[in-house]
Amino acid sequence: MTTSQTSDAGTFETVNPATGQVIGLFPVAGPEQAAAAVSRAREASRWWAELGWRERRNRLLDWKAQVTRQLDELAILVHDETGKPADDARLEIVLAILHIDWAARHAHRVLGAHRVFSGVAALNLSATVEYQPLGVIGVIGPWNYPVLTPMGSIAYALAAGNAVIFKPSEFTPAVGEWLVASFAQTAGRGSPQPVLQLLTGDGRTGAALTTSGVDKVAFTGSAATARKVMAAAAERLTPVIAECGGKDALIVDADADLNAAADAAAWGGLSNAGQTCIGVERVYVADPVYETFLAKLTERVTALRPGSEAGASYGPMTMPSQIEVIRRHLTDAVARGGRALPSSLESVEDAIDGGYVRPVILTDVPEDAAAVREETFGPTITVRRVASLEEGIRLANASAYGLGASIFSGSRRRAVAAARALRTGAASVNSVVSFMLVPALPFGGVGESGFGRIHGADGLREFARAKSIASQWMKSPAPVTTFARTDKDVARTLGLVRFLHGRRRPRS
Ligand code: TXE
């Protein structure tokens, strides 16, 4: 069974990964379609930018209201295309709604013109900075959170005044189509200007969009594909944001609330079948509480049931090829002395059931095994005993990835210090993935997890260019940027600089 197939006719089908039912047929757009979309978007971006902050805000809020009213309809589509439980789809959409709202309401404050102090040596100048839209943004989306993840770029790029061309994953084009149609109906208000366009297809379409003349590419997917996107974008010096995968760690301190930590590890690691870039993949537990924590986690994990029926804990693997990655990681871990829990699992194959993977906890796995080093993106987690919180931090940081992390500790001060010491873009303290619940917090990675930030004020600035304006409101008392300057003008300027900057600071 495949969930996405390309036909000779330049079209592809999406298929429900739980039932095998065909959901829709979509065109595979190539370079010509990508170029045509960019040329339409150019004009639309000018129209959209000229609407101004207030009008764009109102239109985006109208879109948000429509998505909220039709949340159930969209959730069913997400459920059908990804296989995730409908309530998980609903919660994903709720987060996307919060982002449209935040971006719409804060764009003017963050990006609008504001004065900055011009400095004592330039008091004759009034200085302002403002953030102007880049123009046309290409958003290349993934399938695991087909609403939330691309919305982290789409809503912020639109709020900043750009037009957007959205290439959803080939596994979730119907969700992409729904979002684009709903934007046109509400924010577009019947205007023929295609401010948000859809471009469907697979990697070839993503590649065509990357080199089509867009002003920035916002990519979410694997680090391997991010490298291809960057290489292709380099041809036109097109800037790129790369939101790639992760290998997030959860660290349990000796005085942590073990019930809360076990809940968080189970949910963070196994919800959405582990197909979450900020999913928990590694757990490091302080020695004194290791056995108790492991028992609590095993109890919770044993109760989980993958399936497509209502009440299932999580659904099938959305992308069938992921099962091979999971099989390889499990087989390698067990071959290298790892133990798989729950103990009812007699072999790796017991964990794999058609398109579903049962939850697996791996213990005693060496740190250089694939299950610890590479992104598994499945419902499996490794658990390892560590001597202290500090050792947990050291092992967590010994990863090429650096997206998110969680720390559970009885001391919030210790936990926050640990959060700072982790080489990741974000961290949750005594909670898991909680930084995702705050739209004002920027989101993005380090190393193989990518670069650039979506969400929050940084996310708005990613889709804008800073424009600096210095405006002279009175003549300089000592003009130096003129051939008419006198020795006295230069001396006066140097005197001021020596007075302001040349004195020794008293030792404090
Ligand atoms: O990713 P790809 P896939 C990780 C996860 C998963 C692995 C592969 O580990 O197992 O990546 O997933 C488009 N130029 N994540 O195959 O290939 C493609 O059409 C431009 C983590 O889905 O990176 C899709 O829209 N675009 C991640 C998007 O890139 C190209 C979410 C992602 O596809 C392209 C998803 C090209 N040459 C997977 N080739 C996360 N950060 O959450 C493909 N694409």
Side-chain angles (χ1 to χ4, degrees):
M1 180 177 68
T2 61
T3 55
S4 171
Q5 293 174 342
T6 305
S7 79
D8 294 343
T11 56
F12 68 104
E13 289 176 342
T14 45
V15 177
N16 182 322
T19 63
Q21 221 171 6
V22 174
I23 293 167
L25 185 71
F26 294 86
V28 178
E32 273 175 34
Q33 286 92 339
V38 172
S39 107
R40 285 193 298 273
R42 276 277 156 243
E43 200 192 318
S45 69
R46 280 191 284 273
W47 175 79
W48 181 245
E50 278 166 17
L51 288 181
W53 299 111
R54 180 192 286 265
E55 183 62 21
R56 277 199 304 274
R57 168 188 189 271
N58 291 342
R59 286 171 183 251
L60 286 167
L61 293 178
D62 285 352
W63 184 34
K64 175 203 71 172
Q66 171 87 338
V67 174
T68 309
R69 284 192 296 270
Q70 299 183 335
L71 192 152
D72 282 326
E73 180 186 313
L74 178 57
I76 295 304
L77 204 51
V78 172
H79 165 74
D80 287 349
E81 277 199 321
T82 63
K84 72 174 68 175
D87 274 346
D88 284 358
R90 288 188 184 95
L91 292 174
E92 175 189 344
I93 298 164
V94 166
L95 293 183
I97 287 167
L98 299 183
H99 282 296
I100 305 177
D101 186 70
W102 198 93
R105 290 185 195 280
H106 291 83
H108 188 186
R109 178 184 61 80
V110 173
L111 304 176
H114 58 273
R115 284 187 67 162
V116 295
F117 179 51
S118 50
V120 175
L123 278 177
N124 63 319
L125 299 175
S126 156
T128 61
V129 59
E130 65 196 63
Y131 293 85
Q132 298 182 338
L134 298 177
V136 180
I137 308 298
V139 174
I140 299 177
W143 42 267
N144 53 341
Y145 291 87
V147 178
L148 174 61
T149 303
M151 195 58 82
S153 297
I154 293 172
Y156 290 79
L158 291 170
N162 301 280
V164 171
I165 302 171
F166 176 31
K167 206 296 277 177
S169 163
E170 52 272 44
F171 293 92
T172 54
V175 171
E177 184 181 51
W178 192 100
L179 290 171
V180 169
S182 120
F183 178 88
Q185 276 164 18
T186 49
R189 305 234 173 100
S191 154
Q193 294 290 353
V195 175
L196 174 61
Q197 293 181 70
L198 178 75
L199 205 65
T200 58
D202 53 19
R204 292 168 296 171
T205 309
L209 181 59
T210 303
T211 51
S212 62
V214 291
D215 299 298
K216 188 157 192 170
V217 175
F219 168 82
T220 308
S222 61
T225 302
R227 286 183 167 80
K228 291 186 198 163
V229 170
M230 280 185 79
E235 202 181 295
R236 289 182 183 234
L237 226 55
T238 304
V240 173
I241 306 175
E243 297 292 344
C244 307
K247 193 75 192 170
D248 288 8
L250 183 147
I251 307 175
V252 184
D253 202 357
D255 57 357
D257 174 340
L258 298 185
N259 286 321
D263 274 345
W267 168 264
L270 309 174
S271 60
N272 201 26
Q275 302 167 114
T276 305
C277 53
I278 47 169
V280 174
E281 299 221 355
R282 301 176 289 157
V283 182
Y284 296 108
V285 190
D287 179 56
V289 293
Y290 176 81
E291 297 298 345
T292 317
F293 171 84
L294 189 60
K296 286 177 185 291
L297 179 62
T298 310
E299 184 191 321
R300 282 160 176 78
V301 162
T302 310
L304 300 179
R305 294 273 169 276
S308 60
E309 70 285 356
S313 314
Y314 59 81
M317 303 313 294
T318 305
M319 195 170 67
S321 58
Q322 200 65 38
I323 292 175
E324 252 341 286
V325 176
I326 299 168
R327 180 180 274 123
R328 179 167 62 78
H329 288 193
L330 291 177
T331 308
D332 171 66
V334 170
R336 301 182 62 184
R339 193 161 61 99
L341 294 167
S343 47
S344 56
L345 290 173
E346 284 183 6
S347 76
V348 166
E349 288 313 312
D350 275 355
I352 297 165
D353 177 12
Y356 295 87
V357 179
R358 296 201 176 91
V360 184
I361 302 170
L362 290 167
T363 62
D364 307 317
V365 181
E367 286 295 291
D368 61 351
V372 179
R373 305 212 69 80
E374 299 172 23
E375 184 173 47
T376 309
F377 231 53
T380 71
I381 35 184
T382 61
V383 182
R384 182 192 169 104
R385 190 193 295 267
V386 288
S388 59
L389 182 63
E390 290 64 34
E391 189 188 8
I393 297 170
R394 187 176 59 73
L395 292 176
N397 280 345
S399 171
Y401 290 102
L403 199 50
S406 301
I407 306 101
F408 280 79
S409 173
S411 155
R412 213 146 61 85
R413 203 172 49 83
R414 259 167 75 77
V416 170
R420 293 209 169 93
L422 285 162
R423 181 186 160 274
T424 59
S428 307
V429 167
N430 291 338
S431 53
V432 70
V433 303
S434 51
F435 49 81
M436 274 304 275
L437 307 179
V438 183
L441 285 176
F443 178 83
V446 178
E448 289 287 303
S449 293
F451 53 84
R453 292 294 180 264
I454 56 173
H455 304 171
D458 295 83
L460 283 166
R461 288 191 201 102
E462 278 285 355
F463 298 105
R465 65 172 69 88
K467 180 67 169 270
S468 303
I469 300 176
S471 153
Q472 179 164 305
W473 61 275
M474 73 166 203
K475 274 176 114 177
S476 167
V480 284
T481 54
T482 165
F483 289 115
R485 74 187 177 203
T486 62
D487 292 348
K488 217 163 144 194
D489 291 330
V490 174
R492 217 181 268 161
T493 300
L494 289 176
L496 181 64
V497 168
R498 282 187 186 114
F499 173 73
L500 290 176
H501 303 290
R503 288 173 299 162
R504 272 187 210 287
R505 289 166 59 86
R507 285 193 191 282
S508 53

